[in-house]
Amino acid sequence: RLPRLVSPDSDARETGDEAVLLARCCACPVMIGKNRVAAVRALTGQCDVIVSDDGLQHYALGRDIEIAVVDGTCRYGNGFCLPAGPLREPVARLKHVDMVVVNGAAAGQGEFSMSLEPLGLRNLQQETVTRELGDFRANTVHAVAGIGHPQRFFDMLRGRGLRLDRCLALPDHADLAALPADLAGSELVCTEKDAVKLWRHRPDAWAVPLLVELEPAFWPAFDALLDAQLSSPHGPETS
């Protein structure tokens, strides 16, 4: 039943992989639901600030600050919205957001840059067991990625010196219950998002946690926006 509160041990097949990952990484309530307004109302009294992932197009949901993240590699693609192109809304929508963050490339005028840095490797069965990426450079490694841009994950691993014998690129949010048999017998590396589904089937695999790094100028700009909302005589948006 939705909206639904997600816990770190929720089944990703029922709640979605990203929600479980957020519940594990963030010490805060995580709520899912197609109706964003109902999900926010269910969180009333539990939080001071609510972040809605992929929420720009949910116009029924009141919002105080809008942050758009742009893929630095393909930017806006062919400039068309789905299904003709990759965009959910026209590029002109960016004129109305408060901040634009560019992932994986240099930021342009009025934008803020963001990068993802690997922290090492974490065992899927025992999260306290970690290793450095460099420890795997002499090994035969298979990599699995069921994310929006799997090649970016594979390129990152190769850039850290890993020799990838097999790269299995799957659709975003893919079910990992049945991996090909030829992936057995070697070290298996996956993304954190895939790890919340894969640990039941390959507990010997390793996840690659990522550290999100935003350029220093982002934080004072964000704090100023947040302070302006909190000090507004009308208060934060509540609809």
Side-chain angles (χ1 to χ4, degrees):
R1 182 178 178 181
L2 298 176
R4 175 177 176 180
L5 193 64
V6 181
S7 66
D9 58 353
S10 292
D11 190 335
R13 294 170 297 182
E14 299 176 1
T15 63
D17 45 27
E18 291 179 0
V20 176
L21 178 58
L22 287 170
R24 291 186 178 185
C25 295
C26 305
C28 64
V30 177
M31 189 74 66
I32 60 171
K34 293 182 179 180
N35 186 326
R36 297 296 178 99
V37 175
V40 168
R41 286 176 176 161
L43 285 170
T44 301
Q46 300 185 52
C47 318
D48 296 315
V49 175
I50 295 176
V51 178
S52 179
D53 181 37
D54 290 338
L56 291 181
Q57 70 273 26
H58 291 270
Y59 289 104
L61 176 65
R63 71 283 311 274
D64 302 295
I65 300 173
E66 291 188 323
I67 302 174
V69 180
V70 175
D71 187 318
T73 301
C74 62
R75 296 291 293 192
Y76 313 121
N78 61 6
F80 291 105
C81 292
L82 294 168
L87 304 181
R88 298 183 184 183
E89 296 190 79
V91 177
R93 176 71 168 83
L94 295 177
K95 297 178 181 178
H96 305 287
V97 303
D98 298 286
M99 307 180 82
V100 176
V101 174
V102 179
N103 179 23
Q109 179 96 23
E111 299 175 340
F112 299 91
S113 63
M114 165 185 147
S115 63
L116 301 174
E117 297 297 328
L119 295 178
L121 293 162
R122 176 176 50 78
N123 184 258
L124 266 60
Q125 187 172 45
Q126 302 180 61
E127 294 189 353
T128 56
V129 177
T130 60
R131 293 179 66 180
E132 298 295 326
L133 281 168
D135 296 343
F136 281 45
R137 286 174 183 162
N139 299 9
T140 298
V141 178
H142 297 324
V144 174
I147 56 177
H149 300 285
Q151 191 60 46
R152 182 178 295 167
F153 178 67
F154 303 144
D155 290 344
M156 179 194 67
L157 295 177
R158 290 193 176 100
R160 294 327 191 263
L162 270 66
R163 295 184 296 107
L164 302 183
D165 184 63
R166 171 84 185 277
C167 295
L168 180 61
L170 299 170
D172 200 9
H173 310 296
D175 184 4
L176 301 178
L179 291 176
D182 60 356
L183 291 182
S186 297
E187 301 285 10
L188 184 64
V189 177
C190 66
T191 71
E192 273 194 299
K193 192 168 82 166
D194 297 313
V196 300
K197 297 173 291 187
L198 191 58
W199 73 270
R200 300 175 188 273
H201 315 292
R202 282 292 302 266
D204 61 315
W206 298 83
V208 184
L210 298 176
L211 174 66
V212 177
E213 292 191 337
L214 288 152
E215 67 170 275
F218 171 88
W219 295 109
F222 175 73
D223 287 343
L225 286 170
L226 193 58
D227 289 342
Q229 289 297 331
L230 294 175
S231 61
S232 169
H234 301 291
E237 187 70 58
T238 56
S239 62

